[in-house]
Amino acid sequence: MPAHLECITCHKQFPINQVLYQCSQCNDLLDVAYTFGSPDPKRLKVDFLNRKLSPVPQDQSGVWRFRELLPFLDRFDSVISLREGNTPLWEVPRVAREAGLQHLAVKHQGMNPTGSFKDNGMTTAITQAKLLGARTVLCASTGNTSASMAAYAARADIRAVVLIPEGQIARGKLAQAIDYGATVVQIQGNFDHAMQLVRELSGEGGAYLLNSINPFRIEGQKTIVIELMEQRGWRPPDRIVLPAGNLGNCSAFGKALREMFDLKLISRLPKLTLVQAAGANPFAQMIRSGSRNLIPMQADTLATAIKIGSPVSWKKALRALEWTHGDVVEVTEGEIADSRALLARDGVGCEPASASTLAAILKLSREKKLMFSEEVVAILTGHHLKDPEYILEYHEGKLSHKGAIIPARYQNSLHTVAAESQALKKLLFDHDK
Ligand SMILES: *Cc1c(COP(=O)(O)O)cnc(C)c1O
Ligand SMILES: [Zn+2]
């Protein structure tokens, strides 16, 4: 077997098929680690692309078509896949102008089967769960993990149990988890409490934990940035901007970039810019203070997908920042709300947490920390329709945080008129009023 589990701190190794989320020696996080050998990078690139034309499910998947970079299975013909990945990379020229950039592109992970990037990691983690003979899979979730896990567990015919913070997840996500047949339990606490509880519960009755502390989730999420490089002809951008909640995705991006560099698929590493909401910024605070010890906080933001005060993967995220000479930016509720609406004006809808990326780009631009020619890619993590209440409240001028209304710069009001053409003409064409 070329794959094993390896502690990120003491580097103790464990067999790939051991059910383990933390090092038994020092309790730190685990990586899935490989001995890759030295495959021909040109050959790999051709194989990745050609698989898109194949009718075989594991070739069509935008995760498994990159399987040489996630070789933890002996064979790939029984993977649990919903044809995840293969998401679009779009230029957003009008938004770019606003940000003072020559080019700006977004990679939209919301265009996945359950509407978020969690699908990229769930296909790999559920496949491993099935292999290990798990009878129940378990997660704590701010919403999207539960929707994704519930769908993939249903496909794999495994029982799904989801813990969510009561009243704090977007309606679209809750609807999905319930509909896919998961056992959904609201707890009277926040995400961090739910996370603590599932860690205590894992192992009970053969339950397997599918939060991003599970290193097999990270393996699938690596393909987001691998596919991005493919879409750019393997020319890395200068900077990749992504939201940071539990810090699993940044960890995956860091690992992917390192491995692509080592395999000579790319010749340099782009900078990773991680974005946190000002009310949920424990990682930003740690980096700012120059400390190497994360202090948990009580998280508070309307961008519920990143409302996390005690991120599990902070050490892997720190490693990703060091590898890529990256940085962390924090943005306000108002900046997130307006950025989300601004993207929508360019025909690109996304959920609030995803728009924190544009908020950070606009902020860096205002602070003259971006060059006009810099090539920037923002990762949009979740679908437009995940949180319609947030959108409507914004346009009604009712979106509020901590009791204060958030002014809506791109407000678009709903009109109501009598059902007759005179009234319509007056509303639509009478400019002399
Ligand atoms: C999960 C999620 C995030 C945060 O990702 P982490 O890996 O927890 O840092 C951001 N945006 C959306 C839409 C998400 O679902
Ligand atoms: Zn260890």
Side-chain angles (χ1 to χ4, degrees):
M1 259 292 201
H4 58 269
L5 296 171
E6 184 172 322
C7 172
I8 63 166
T9 299
C10 77
H11 300 287
K12 186 175 165 64
Q13 298 189 358
F14 307 90
I16 196 74
N17 56 0
Q18 190 170 342
V19 177
L20 200 65
Y21 314 100
Q22 284 162 284
C23 175
S24 60
Q25 190 160 285
C26 75
N27 274 333
D28 227 324
L29 301 169
L30 301 173
D31 271 329
V32 179
Y34 307 106
T35 1
F36 277 120
S38 42
D40 175 9
K42 280 206 191 88
R43 176 84 238 165
L44 280 179
K45 291 174 186 178
V46 170
D47 287 346
F48 294 157
L49 204 56
N50 281 346
R51 284 179 188 145
K52 277 185 151 182
L53 302 173
S54 153
V56 177
Q58 64 268 28
D59 289 344
Q60 287 182 353
S61 161
V63 171
W64 295 105
R65 70 188 180 89
F66 300 107
R67 53 187 169 263
E68 283 80 1
L69 273 78
L70 28 138
F72 64 86
L73 299 174
D74 287 327
R75 37 192 300 183
F76 294 88
D77 53 4
S78 56
V79 300
I80 312 290
S81 168
L82 283 164
R83 316 296 183 273
E84 50 291 315
N86 293 320
T87 60
L89 178 68
W90 292 324
E91 287 278 332
V92 282
R94 279 185 286 156
V95 175
R97 214 171 304 137
E98 196 87 11
L101 289 170
Q102 195 168 14
H103 290 290
L104 175 62
V106 295
K107 182 160 176 62
H108 206 326
Q109 292 306 118
M111 309 308 271
N112 258 301
T114 79
S116 82
F117 76 80
K118 301 301 197 295
D119 294 345
N120 291 74
M122 208 51 78
T123 181
T124 43
I126 276 277
T127 296
Q128 181 69 5
K130 188 94 182 164
L131 209 74
L132 295 171
R135 280 167 286 152
T136 301
V137 288
L138 186 65
C139 73
S141 179
T142 61
N144 282 329
T145 300
S146 68
S148 181
M149 189 187 82
Y152 281 84
R155 298 295 298 175
D157 197 13
I158 300 176
R159 175 174 177 233
V161 176
V162 166
L163 258 61
I164 55 169
E166 184 180 20
Q168 294 179 41
I169 89 167
R171 301 288 285 174
K173 305 175 187 180
L174 181 58
Q176 286 180 290
I178 297 257
D179 210 30
Y180 290 129
T183 304
V184 181
V185 188
Q186 305 203 54
I187 61 144
Q188 290 158 342
N190 58 29
F191 170 83
D192 300 300
H193 297 133
M195 189 65 223
Q196 188 52 44
L197 284 167
V198 293
R199 286 174 81 161
E200 286 168 26
L201 243 64
S202 66
E204 209 69 47
Y208 187 59
L209 186 58
L210 287 190
N211 280 99
S212 55
I213 191 173
N214 183 318
F216 294 94
R217 280 270 308 277
I218 302 299
E219 288 308 295
Q221 288 171 211
K222 287 190 318 193
T223 60
I224 302 166
V225 68
I226 301 171
E227 185 174 89
L228 169 64
M229 295 303 157
E230 180 189 65
Q231 285 166 313
R232 292 180 44 92
W234 300 95
R235 232 173 17 87
D238 296 307
R239 191 189 287 263
I240 300 174
V241 186
L242 73 164
N246 217 5
L247 300 172
N249 216 24
C250 344
S251 305
F253 280 36
K255 188 169 190 279
L257 290 168
R258 258 303 279 267
E259 290 174 353
M260 279 191 279
F261 183 80
D262 290 345
L263 287 165
K264 300 190 166 57
L265 290 166
I266 54 173
S267 55
R268 63 183 180 85
L269 300 190
K271 189 193 274 282
L272 287 181
T273 295
L274 315 187
V275 192
Q276 295 208 295
N281 65 349
F283 191 69
Q285 285 196 44
M286 180 186 88
I287 298 295
R288 197 175 336 117
S289 69
S291 149
R292 288 182 145 261
N293 199 14
L294 185 126
I295 301 168
M297 67 183 292
Q298 178 80 32
D300 184 15
T301 168
L302 297 176
T304 49
I306 49 172
K307 187 176 175 180
I308 294 173
S310 181
V312 166
S313 295
W314 68 267
K315 279 192 188 165
K316 284 186 178 178
L318 182 61
R319 186 177 71 170
L321 278 198
E322 288 170 352
W323 284 342
T324 68
H325 306 286
D327 49 13
V328 189
V329 177
E330 44 179 285
V331 293
T332 65
E333 294 299 310
E335 287 169 337
I336 294 174
D338 282 334
S339 300
R340 206 206 52 71
L342 179 61
L343 274 167
R345 289 288 178 95
D346 217 341
V348 176
C350 66
E351 69 164 282
S354 311
S356 67
T357 53
L358 177 60
I361 291 164
L362 292 170
K363 181 175 180 181
L364 288 172
S365 166
R366 279 198 307 278
E367 293 172 350
K368 309 258 179 292
K369 289 176 183 158
L370 283 184
M371 279 186 310
F372 176 66
S373 59
E374 194 166 328
E375 292 194 49
V376 181
V377 177
I379 306 296
L380 303 183
T381 43
H383 196 275
H384 203 188
L385 298 177
K386 290 280 189 176
D387 196 351
E389 275 159 321
Y390 180 102
I391 301 175
L392 289 170
E393 283 180 17
Y394 177 87
H395 289 293
E396 288 162 0
K398 290 181 189 159
L399 192 65
S400 72
H401 184 241
K402 289 186 170 168
I405 296 281
I406 296 171
R409 194 166 158 203
Y410 303 101
Q411 188 169 2
N412 186 20
S413 307
L414 180 67
H415 306 278
T416 310
V417 296
E420 44 123 330
S421 66
Q422 235 8 69
L424 266 173
K425 278 184 195 157
K426 188 156 188 287
L427 175 77
L428 299 176
F429 305 113
D430 186 359
H431 300 293
D432 307 326
K433 299 190 294 298

